Amino acid sequence: MKFNSPIFPLTVVIPTLGGDSLFKTIELINSGTIVPEEILVCIPKEEAYRVLNHNLENVKVVSTNCKGQVQQRAEGFKEAKHSYVMQVDDDIELGADSIAIMIKMLEKLGCGSVIGPSFYDPVTLAALHEYDFGVVGFLKSLN
C-alpha cells in the first residue's frame, strides 16, 4: 500500500481481540495527514488468525500470551521502535488531522509530556467527556 501523506516516526499500539472495527480504525489512521511508520496490532495468540492476512506495510501483528487491554498494550509498548508512541482502541475513528494536531501539541509541550484527544459523539458532536478547569478541575483530578 502506498501512502499519500508523509510517514512519521511514530508507533501506534492497538490492543485488540480482532473485532470488526479494527481495520476501519487502521484505515482511518493510515489516511490521515500524517501516517505512522509503525502500527502494532497486539492480539492474544489464539485470536491472531483474525488479523494475520493483511496487506498493510506499516502494520505488524504482535501475538501476546495474555488477554486484556492493559497487558496487550504493555507488550506493544515493549515492541515500539519510536520515541513517539500513541495508544488507541480498536474502535476509535480519528479525524484526518488528529495525529498531526497531537504531535504538534506534544512538540510544543516538550520531552516527557503526555497528551490525549477529546472524543465526540459522531452524530451529535457532543463531547463524551466533560472536564472542569482551574482549581475545581485540579481537585477532582486527585480522586
Side-chain angles (χ1 to χ4, degrees), residues 3 26 41 51 58 76 85 96 100 116 124 128 142:
F3 300 111
I26 293 171
V41 174
V51 296
N58 66 335
V85 180
T124 66
L128 297 179
L142 296 176

Side-chain angles (χ1 to χ4, degrees), residues 1-113:
M1 168 181 235
K2 185 168 171 62
F3 300 111
N4 296 325
S5 298
I7 306 296
F8 190 82
L10 163 70
T11 299
V12 175
V13 174
I14 306 175
T16 188
L17 295 176
D20 294 338
S21 58
L22 172 64
F23 286 102
K24 181 176 182 183
T25 296
I26 293 171
E27 179 184 328
L28 289 169
I29 290 169
N30 279 337
S31 62
T33 57
I34 289 181
V35 175
E37 189 172 309
E38 174 181 59
I39 299 174
L40 301 179
V41 174
C42 304
I43 187 166
K45 61 179 151 185
E46 62 270 13
E47 304 293 337
Y49 70 92
R50 298 173 185 259
V51 296
L52 289 176
N53 296 324
H54 66 78
N55 295 323
L56 302 167
E57 65 185 52
N58 66 335
V59 175
K60 176 183 171 191
V61 175
V62 176
S63 295
T64 65
N65 290 320
C66 54
K67 272 189 180 178
Q69 282 191 348
V70 173
Q71 295 88 357
Q72 288 170 244
R73 190 177 301 121
E75 292 299 314
F77 289 156
K78 289 179 195 174
E79 297 278 329
K81 292 192 308 190
H82 302 291
S83 57
Y84 286 95
V85 180
M86 178 176 148
Q87 188 284 136
V88 298
D89 290 341
D90 63 1
D91 61 349
I92 295 298
E93 295 183 17
L94 292 175
D97 292 332
S98 295
I99 292 174
I101 291 167
M102 287 188 282
I103 288 171
K104 185 176 180 179
M105 180 57 70
L106 199 53
E107 288 177 342
K108 189 180 208 180
L109 294 171
C111 185
S113 298

